[in-house]
Amino acid sequence: MNLMRRALLGAIGAMIGGKPSSAKETRPDSGGETTTQNEAEESSVTPRHVVCFLGKERDLSRLSDAASQAIRDFAKGFSIDEDYSQSEPDDRMSQSFAVCWDRVEADAWSPADEDAVADHQSVLYILGPSMAQAETVKVSMLALRLVERLIDAGAVAVKGESAGIAHGLDRWRELIRQGAAAVKAADSLAQQRIGRLAFAKRPLSVPGYLESVGFHLVGLPEVYVPETAGSERQIVAIIDAVADEIAQQGLEPTLKGRRAGLSFDSTYAVDEFKFNPYGIVRLPK
C-alpha cells in the first residue's frame, strides 16, 4: 500500500478513534513512536490537504463533476480520490464528525448539520497537491474556493481530514467569505490566519500540553502550550497569538520573545497527513 493510501486510511481512522470533552480532545497515543529531528530534517514530506465532502444523493456525479470543473478552473493539482469516494453512506461519519466539529468558534455547527451528516448518502474525497512552504497559504485559499464550489453543488457537510476539523455549512460560508476578502485585498497575513481557522484543529491534548494540529497547512509549526497556562479558551487564544506572531515577525523572534523552543519530536509518523515538517513551538512550563 503506498504512502498516500496509508495516510488517508490513518486520517480516516483517527477521526473516529476518540470522543471529545468540552473544547478539548485527547489525541490517541501513537504507541510511543516519535519522529526525531534528524528524521524530520531528512524527510521529503510536504503538507497536503485532504477534504471530505458528504452528499445527499446515492450518486456522486453531481459533486464529482463540480470538483472536476473546479480543478480545471482554478484548483490545479487537486484530484478526486477514486479509491475511497463512494456512492453510498459511510456509517462511520456521524462519529467521525462528532470528534471533528470545531468547538472553539461559537455556533460552528448546528443540529441541522448533524442531521445532514447522519442522513448523507455519498462520500467524496479530494486530495490536494503536495505544498512547498511558500505555497501553503495560496493553496489553502484555493481549497476554500473548492469547498465553496462543492457546497454550491450540493455538499451537505465538509471536513478537513488533514487535521480532523469540521465546520457547519454556515461557518464554512463565513470562512469562505473572509478568505475571498483577504485574497482580494492581497492580505497574506489574513489569508494565513483564515486558512488556520478553516483547516487546523485546536486544542487537542498531549501530556502536559494543549496543542494545535494542522498549522503546517499554512506553513507554520504547531504550537504547544502548557495546560497550566489557563482555561482551554485562554490557551486557544495563546496558541493563536503565537501563530500570529510567527507569521508577522518570524520564528526566531517569536521563540526568543516567548522563551520557547522548537522541537521536531512528533508522535505522528512522517507519512501521516498530520505530521508537521516545520516542527513544534513548545512554550515553557
Side-chain angles (χ1 to χ4, degrees), residues 69-210:
Q69 187 62 52
I71 290 166
R72 289 191 293 270
D73 290 346
F74 60 83
K76 182 179 179 181
F78 286 78
S79 62
I80 296 171
D81 189 294
E82 304 287 355
D83 292 334
Y84 290 98
S85 299
Q86 60 185 58
S87 297
E88 60 184 14
D90 184 334
D91 59 11
R92 302 171 297 176
M93 284 300 165
S94 288
Q95 185 179 358
S96 172
F97 272 77
V99 171
C100 294
W101 291 122
D102 178 10
R103 286 174 168 78
V104 174
E105 182 69 23
D107 301 318
W109 84 100
S110 69
D113 292 305
E114 293 180 293
D115 290 344
V117 172
D119 296 337
H120 81 280
Q121 297 297 307
S122 54
V123 184
L124 181 72
Y125 287 102
I126 302 293
L127 305 176
S130 295
M131 300 181 289
Q133 189 172 15
E135 296 294 315
T136 51
V137 173
K138 177 182 177 181
V139 176
S140 291
M141 291 299 97
L142 294 180
L144 263 184
R145 289 183 63 189
L146 187 61
V147 171
E148 178 182 31
R149 183 70 67 90
L150 266 68
I151 289 175
D152 289 345
V156 296
V158 183
K159 171 160 56 77
E161 296 283 6
S162 297
I165 184 68
H167 311 283
L169 293 190
D170 286 347
R171 176 60 177 161
W172 277 116
R173 291 187 182 103
E174 176 60 19
L175 289 164
I176 290 162
R177 184 195 65 76
Q178 293 176 9
V183 170
K184 184 176 181 179
D187 188 337
S188 60
L189 291 177
Q191 292 174 44
Q192 188 173 56
R193 187 171 195 280
I194 293 158
R196 284 195 285 111
L197 296 178
F199 294 111
K201 182 74 169 176
R202 79 267 191 265
L204 282 82
S205 178
V206 290
Y209 293 89
L210 296 185

Side-chain angles (χ1 to χ4, degrees), residues 208-227:
Y209 293 89
L210 296 185
E211 65 166 354
S212 67
V213 174
F215 281 6
H216 58 310
L217 298 171
V218 290
L220 297 173
E222 304 301 346
V223 179
Y224 280 36
V225 177
E227 61 186 3

